[in-house]
Amino acid sequence: MKILIIEDDLSISEILKKGLEEEGFMTDIANDGEEGLYFISEFVYDAIILDLSLPKIDGLDILKIIRDKENKIPVLILTARSEISDKIKGLNIGADDYLTKPFDFNEFLARINALIRRSKHKASPIIKLDNLEININEKTVKRNGENITLSSKEYNLFEYFMMNIGRVISRNEILEHVYSSEFESDSNIIDVYISYLRNKIDKNSETKLIKTVRGHGYIISA
Amino acid sequence: MNIIEKFKIKSIKNRLSLSYFISSSFLLIFLCIILYFQIKSTILESFDRLLHSKLQMLTANLIEEKGELEFELAELKSGEYTIKNSGHYYKVIIDKNIIISPSLGKKEFNFEEIEKIYVDKELDETYFSSYDLINQEIRVLKKTLQIKNKKITIFLGETLKETNLLIKRLTSIFYIIIPLGIFIIEFLGIKIAEKGLKPLEILSEKIKNTSHENLNEKLSLDKKSEELDNIVDSFNEMLKKIENAFETEKFILSEASHYLKTPITAIKTNCDVILKKNREKDEYIEVIKKIRSISNKINQLINDMLSQAKLDSEGLKINTFSNINLAECITNAILFSESLALNKNITVNFQNNNNNIFFYGNNEKITELFSNIIENGIKYNNKNGYININLSEKDKLIIIEFNDNGLGINKEDLDKVFNRFYRSRSINIEGTGLGLSIAKKIVEIHNGKIEVESELGKGTSFKIIFSKNSEK
């Protein structure tokens, strides 16, 4: 999952980036509104964390611009202002959730996860496909009721697949949303992890769920 | 007024109506008394004139017969003078010859003088009151004439029965008029006071309903009156001042909490994230260092806010002012920001070619002002930049200029740099956003002016202008 953090205070954006990346998210930081809008127009994110008082372009204005373009990306507003009216204003313009500074990081994570899940139309943290199931909150994977242990990189990739069941996912998309820039985009790291995943998930089952769509990428479906 | 004070009547309405009541009642009673005496004396005067004209008639009946003076009594012997105790009497004494009206009965009757009323010396007429045989009050006119060596004394008496009755009736009318009048006066007094004070009551009710929640609602009265309009205007002016103070306070509070929450969030999130799992020692140290630096920032923020709030609420006490050497203040300010400048290798130049410029002000605050501007120039500057400071005197003005080759400020942001908590946050620079706002306040307290000019990417110049206010 790739998240954009639009926050002008470096001490906050940096620790959010660190915390999110440790949880397996990919993150970008924009220091002001202008930069934020640029990132949104150039890259695809699974969620945006938006501070309201930003230099150059105000947070609420960014939100308005995004929603006017019919971009349905989930947005979590972060702000030091705690007045109810501010919250209502934010939610009315189209924010999906609202957190007041200072917040609890675990709550923040839970909300981000819920937002992303909802945006992918997954109401429950447990997503099932055939006899395969993933619990996003607990980060556990089961097939036929048996636990499958995945490394964190494998898990991140698998979670992204499960969030996008039935949709062809390109290698580029995987690179952008699951793996950070530490990998060269033309490296075959994706293939390596896909084969690891297949090994752990599909090997002992008759129905193979992860399929290759030649020339396009991969798809997970029953 | 003494009565009013004595009874400690606190309501203006009651005081007004009571004073109105007392004065009007006195006036009414006084008028009635005067009227009473005036009418009474008029009635009695006309009575006396009646007596006088009857006397004329009597003397006209005096005829001379056989060398003797006698009354032609035929007319006087008829009518009311003949009915006993009719209240109409005469008695004439010609030498020793006494003629008396039949109504009087006895010849020996003497008009006893009970109270002398009036003496007309010219006509030798005396008016006095007396009583007749049946003890009714009568008015008597006594006249003495001298005709042909004969002394004639005439007494003419007329009863006051009807007249007294008339006066009595008059008095009883007054007895009704006075209390009725007083009652009407009191009623009107209360009504007038009530009506007059009604706007005051409305005003008081409106003021009572004014609180910090509806300071923006101006007072107004439907009916205009000069005195109350002044009160209303003054009150509204006061409301406006209080509202402004409230708004500023609210704004500062909300800004302050906003700006304090940001570093606190940074601390808390750092802790949350670092505590999520076991980590290497170095990672803990790094986070603790970060927290320390954020805490310093919070401390700086609180200090600046307090300093600003103090300046806002108290200004500067004049007894903290003295003649200060401005060149010295600048040198000190440069010293204070030395470590900051060293970090970025920024040169602060001050050509001190005039060590003789004095200014009457607060040494500490003026130094803080300079140091705030220098620090701002350092923070918003590139590495190896410079700040040039120039101090000069021109006519009656002292001019201090700070020019830097730093990042510069957007044109649209230029008028905001002195706002509280304003930070040019397009660039991430440590700062509380209060330095320049405090600087401006200090300049204002010293009746000075601060101007800023800037070009993005080229640099910024601040110009402080003070009026000379001290002797060398």
Side-chain angles (χ1 to χ4, degrees):
Chain A
M1 299 296 137
K2 195 170 185 188
I3 290 171
L4 174 64
I5 304 166
I6 312 179
E7 161 69 65
D8 65 317
D9 194 286
L10 273 182
S11 55
I12 291 177
S13 57
E14 274 169 1
I15 191 64
L16 285 181
K17 183 182 174 73
K18 183 186 166 92
L20 284 170
E21 283 179 356
E22 282 178 1
E23 290 298 312
F25 289 97
M26 297 278 307
T27 54
D28 279 339
I29 293 177
N31 285 320
D32 61 53
E34 228 169 67
E35 212 176 4
L37 275 181
Y38 171 75
F39 277 148
I40 293 165
S41 66
E42 289 297 308
F43 307 106
V44 179
Y45 296 95
D46 296 290
I48 296 173
I49 294 157
L50 181 64
D51 182 37
L52 279 193
S53 45
L54 288 168
K56 294 188 181 173
I57 303 174
D58 185 68
L60 286 177
D61 291 338
I62 291 176
L63 189 58
K64 218 167 168 292
I65 293 166
I66 297 174
R67 293 304 184 224
D68 283 350
K69 286 183 183 158
E70 308 240 327
N71 188 341
K72 291 194 173 105
I73 183 165
V75 173
L76 170 71
I77 284 180
L78 280 189
T79 179
R81 307 201 182 280
S82 56
E83 281 98 18
I84 299 287
S85 63
D86 284 334
K87 292 186 186 178
I88 291 169
K89 211 156 122 196
L91 294 174
N92 276 345
I93 290 180
D96 299 272
D97 206 348
Y98 201 106
L99 262 183
T100 319
K101 289 176 184 173
F103 48 82
D104 185 86
F105 187 72
N106 285 326
E107 186 189 352
F108 168 77
L109 273 182
R111 283 180 187 242
I112 289 285
N113 277 324
L115 273 190
I116 294 173
R117 228 169 48 225
R118 275 208 303 272
S119 73
K120 314 270 187 204
H121 307 290
K122 309 279 188 285
S124 149
I126 297 166
I127 304 166
K128 286 180 183 168
L129 179 69
D130 198 44
N131 55 1
L132 181 66
E133 70 170 69
I134 181 170
N135 186 325
I136 290 164
N137 283 359
E138 292 170 10
K139 293 190 189 288
T140 55
V141 181
K142 284 179 187 172
R143 185 139 196 195
N144 258 334
E146 276 176 45
N147 274 324
I148 298 170
T149 323
L150 297 178
S151 76
S152 75
K153 287 222 164 73
E154 290 162 354
Y155 173 83
N156 289 343
L157 179 59
F158 182 65
E159 189 192 274
Y160 195 74
F161 270 115
M162 289 302 275
M163 285 282 196
N164 296 283
I165 291 169
R167 190 168 72 80
V168 178
I169 300 160
S170 70
R171 289 154 146 267
N172 247 346
E173 190 180 335
I174 294 172
L175 271 177
E176 272 200 4
H177 286 260
V178 186
Y179 296 111
S180 58
S181 51
E182 54 195 280
F183 305 110
E184 291 293 320
S185 59
D186 58 326
S187 76
N188 60 354
I189 188 83
I190 308 281
D191 300 314
V192 173
Y193 277 107
I194 295 278
S195 74
Y196 286 165
L197 262 189
R198 279 182 162 147
N199 240 339
K200 289 189 175 172
I201 288 165
D202 279 346
K203 200 181 173 188
N204 300 327
S205 303
E206 282 189 14
T207 37
K208 308 295 180 196
L209 298 173
I210 302 169
K211 294 151 197 163
T212 310
V213 182
R214 214 155 285 283
H216 287 96
Y218 305 91
I219 185 170
I220 191 163
S221 64
Chain B
M1 280 301 156
N2 282 338
I3 299 171
I4 292 164
E5 276 158 25
K6 213 171 174 175
F7 287 104
K8 293 204 169 103
I9 295 171
K10 291 216 174 103
S11 139
I12 294 181
K13 187 179 90 183
N14 292 344
R15 272 194 229 174
L16 272 181
S17 58
L18 186 65
S19 7
Y20 170 78
F21 169 72
I22 291 173
S23 51
S24 304
S25 302
F26 270 121
L27 194 67
L28 180 72
I29 294 169
F30 180 70
L31 279 176
C32 284
I33 290 170
I34 288 187
L35 203 61
Y36 169 77
F37 283 107
Q38 199 61 43
I39 291 173
K40 192 177 171 185
S41 76
T42 309
I43 291 171
L44 290 174
E45 252 173 47
S46 72
F47 193 86
D48 290 343
R49 268 200 299 281
L50 178 78
L51 272 179
H52 184 76
S53 65
K54 281 197 170 178
L55 181 88
Q56 299 278 306
M57 190 187 80
L58 209 63
T59 42
N61 279 310
L62 201 62
I63 49 165
E64 201 180 343
E65 207 172 278
K66 302 167 194 166
E68 289 274 316
L69 276 174
E70 282 226 355
F71 269 106
E72 213 321 280
L73 288 174
E75 283 159 37
L76 289 173
K77 273 177 181 166
S78 63
E80 49 204 6
Y81 289 105
T82 58
I83 302 162
K84 201 165 186 199
N85 294 329
S86 67
H88 306 277
Y89 313 104
Y90 61 82
K91 180 180 180 181
V92 184
I93 304 163
I94 305 171
D95 285 339
K96 277 176 187 162
N97 181 18
I98 296 169
I99 308 163
I100 205 158
S101 69
S103 56
L104 209 50
K106 295 180 195 161
K107 227 174 205 166
E108 305 79 50
F109 183 83
N110 253 336
F111 290 99
E112 198 181 337
E113 192 178 308
I114 290 166
E115 188 193 354
K116 186 166 279 163
I117 302 227
Y118 173 71
V119 180
D120 192 331
K121 281 191 174 150
E122 217 175 298
L123 297 170
D124 198 8
E125 287 176 1
T126 307
Y127 296 84
F128 62 91
S129 63
S130 178
Y131 289 97
D132 64 5
L133 283 170
I134 49 170
N135 246 349
Q136 269 179 3
E137 197 188 354
I138 51 171
R139 189 93 153 180
V140 181
L141 169 58
K142 176 187 169 195
K143 187 177 169 76
T144 315
L145 310 157
Q146 195 82 31
I147 303 173
K148 294 189 177 167
N149 298 327
K150 281 199 171 166
K151 193 184 164 203
I152 305 167
T153 307
I154 305 170
F155 291 91
L156 198 63
E158 284 286 335
T159 180
L160 276 170
K161 196 177 163 190
E162 279 87 19
T163 312
N164 277 344
L165 203 67
L166 191 67
I167 290 168
K168 215 172 176 178
R169 257 187 217 152
L170 192 71
T171 317
S172 60
I173 286 172
F174 283 137
Y175 280 146
I176 297 166
I177 282 179
I178 288 173
L180 192 70
I182 285 174
F183 176 75
I184 291 170
I185 285 167
E186 171 65 6
F187 181 75
L188 283 180
I190 289 171
K191 284 285 155 203
I192 289 168
E194 256 175 18
K195 203 167 157 47
L197 291 174
K198 190 82 193 162
L200 213 57
E201 224 168 86
I202 296 170
L203 195 64
S204 125
E205 190 60 33
K206 282 187 176 173
I207 291 173
K208 207 191 277 169
N209 290 333
T210 301
S211 72
H212 63 284
E213 280 158 355
N214 57 355
L215 284 174
N216 54 343
E217 285 170 29
K218 294 272 162 283
L219 275 192
S220 65
L221 285 178
D222 304 334
K223 280 182 189 164
K224 296 279 161 202
S225 69
E226 209 173 289
E227 296 90 342
L228 287 182
D229 279 355
N230 282 340
I231 296 178
V232 168
D233 286 350
S234 313
F235 189 80
N236 281 340
E237 218 159 282
M238 184 187 77
L239 274 189
K240 207 171 161 194
K241 279 182 199 157
I242 294 176
E243 192 192 355
N244 281 345
F246 254 97
E247 286 301 311
T248 319
E249 202 95 318
K250 231 157 86 182
F251 176 74
I252 293 172
L253 202 65
S254 113
E255 288 294 286
S257 71
H258 179 240
Y259 280 92
L260 280 171
K261 271 179 180 176
T262 301
I264 285 168
T265 305
I267 290 178
K268 181 165 164 49
T269 311
N270 264 295
C271 296
D272 283 352
V273 169
I274 211 74
L275 288 173
K276 250 183 113 67
K277 60 182 188 190
N278 284 327
R279 293 169 193 275
E280 295 295 311
K281 191 181 164 194
D282 286 354
E283 267 186 277
Y284 288 118
I285 291 172
E286 193 195 325
V287 166
I288 290 169
K289 278 182 176 167
K290 213 182 273 173
I291 290 174
R292 183 178 61 186
S293 109
I294 299 170
S295 308
N296 285 338
K297 193 180 158 186
I298 294 177
N299 187 43
Q300 179 65 41
L301 189 60
I302 292 172
N303 283 344
D304 280 1
M305 284 191 308
L306 278 180
S307 166
Q308 171 98 55
K310 234 178 169 173
L311 279 176
D312 279 354
S313 62
E314 295 169 16
L316 279 180
K317 290 188 179 74
I318 198 78
N319 59 13
T320 62
F321 279 36
S322 59
N323 273 340
I324 51 177
N325 185 333
L326 287 178
E328 231 174 77
C329 288
I330 295 172
T331 315
N332 283 337
I334 294 172
L335 272 177
F336 290 152
S337 30
E338 202 165 35
S339 68
L340 205 62
L342 276 175
N343 277 342
K344 286 174 93 173
N345 194 29
I346 284 166
T347 325
V348 183
N349 300 310
F350 174 43
Q351 302 295 332
N352 185 7
N353 41 24
N354 197 341
N355 204 7
N356 229 356
I357 298 180
F358 283 85
F359 180 67
Y360 189 70
N362 181 304
N363 195 335
E364 225 172 276
K365 290 291 160 189
I366 292 285
T367 310
E368 187 183 340
L369 152 70
F370 295 152
S371 123
N372 279 356
I373 290 172
I374 294 168
E375 276 181 22
N376 186 75
I378 295 170
K379 282 176 188 163
Y380 291 89
N381 209 326
N382 303 303
K383 276 197 173 166
N384 307 320
Y386 66 79
I387 300 169
N388 289 333
I389 304 171
N390 188 48
L391 170 65
S392 60
E393 256 181 315
K394 197 181 164 193
D395 298 328
K396 289 186 167 172
L397 300 175
I398 300 167
I399 300 162
I400 310 120
E401 284 167 292
F402 300 79
N403 297 305
D404 67 50
N405 62 340
L407 306 172
I409 306 162
N410 261 333
K411 255 210 175 92
E412 59 258 38
D413 291 341
L414 211 52
D415 51 341
K416 291 189 216 150
V417 293
F418 296 115
N419 290 358
R420 270 164 230 253
F421 294 114
Y422 174 79
R423 280 197 294 151
S424 177
R425 287 181 298 166
S426 46
I427 329 126
N428 227 290
I429 280 166
E430 291 289 306
T432 60
L434 282 170
L436 289 182
S437 152
I438 292 172
K440 189 180 185 203
K441 189 84 200 176
I442 295 171
V443 172
E444 279 170 358
I445 286 170
H446 289 88
N447 298 320
K449 238 174 36 179
I450 183 163
E451 291 166 358
V452 57
E453 272 174 42
S454 185
E455 200 174 328
L456 209 59
K458 288 204 169 165
T460 308
S461 76
F462 285 94
K463 194 180 196 179
I464 298 167
I465 304 161
F466 287 128
S467 305
K468 261 196 225 173
N469 60 2
S470 86
E471 305 291 318
K472 272 181 193 167

